[in-house]
């Protein structure tokens, strides 16, 4: 990905954090094979390891849905005691991964994630 595209994707990630009122605390765009394209993560996060884990989760989710024949994966949500993590397809080759605070409203997070993933998918598709 070009430096210009990376900067545009990072702008979307930062805007996502602001529009959520701070409920979305970290976000990244990762390829389906685990390559990090852009991130707005906490400094203590090992982004390479995080990217790899996202790719593994996506592969498992895709296999699970294929097994029960309910279509293509759109989002994965993992609920923790201190927030949620959401993976949302951002085009055919990437995923938006984010994590939230405990106070985040699930419906709003899912909606914002889909909106931002659509915007990122368009940015990534430009120039192909």
């Amino acid at each position: 990905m070009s430096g210009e595209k990376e900067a545009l994707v990072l702008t979307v990630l930062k805007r996502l954090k602001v529009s959520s009122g701070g409920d979305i605390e970290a976000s990244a765009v990762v390829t389906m094979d685990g390559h990090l394209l852009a991130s707005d993560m906490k400094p203590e996060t090992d982004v390479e390891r995080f990217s790899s884990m996202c790719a593994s989760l996506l592969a498992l989710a895709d296999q699970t849905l294929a097994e029960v024949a309910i279509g293509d994966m759109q989002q994965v949500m993992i609920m923790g005691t201190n927030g949620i993590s959401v993976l949302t397809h951002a085009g055919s080759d990437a995923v938006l991964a984010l994590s939230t605070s405990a106070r985040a409203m699930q419906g709003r997070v899912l909606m914002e994630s889909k909106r931002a993933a659509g915007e990122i998918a368009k940015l990534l598709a430009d120039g192909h």
Side-chain angles (χ1 to χ4, degrees):
M1 179 166 63
S2 72
E4 183 180 333
K5 271 193 186 181
E6 183 178 350
L8 291 171
V9 171
L10 187 56
T11 298
V12 173
L13 298 180
K14 291 185 180 297
R15 192 169 53 238
L16 180 62
K17 184 185 286 186
V18 170
S19 71
S20 75
D23 285 347
I24 295 174
E25 297 177 331
S27 59
V29 178
V30 180
T31 64
M32 300 303 283
D33 62 356
H35 177 71
L36 180 70
L37 298 178
S39 71
D40 184 19
M41 304 290 288
K42 297 174 183 177
E44 65 271 14
T45 302
D46 181 338
V47 293
E48 296 301 323
R49 189 169 137 177
F50 175 79
S51 299
S52 177
M53 288 186 286
C54 287
S56 296
L57 279 169
L58 288 171
L60 287 172
D62 283 337
Q63 291 173 354
T64 301
L65 294 177
E67 186 65 30
V68 294
I70 58 171
D72 295 328
M73 195 280 293
Q74 294 180 355
Q75 285 185 311
V76 173
M77 182 173 67
I78 304 167
M79 298 178 71
T81 55
N82 295 321
I84 59 176
S85 184
V86 177
L87 303 176
T88 305
H89 267 287
S92 61
D93 299 327
V95 67
L96 167 63
L98 58 85
S99 63
T100 74
S101 67
R103 69 180 182 278
M105 295 173 33
Q106 291 176 26
R108 182 173 181 198
V109 169
L110 295 175
M111 180 187 71
E112 289 292 328
S113 178
K114 282 184 182 180
R115 181 200 53 75
E119 193 175 343
I120 290 165
K122 287 179 186 173
L123 288 171
L124 296 177
D126 287 347
H128 283 322

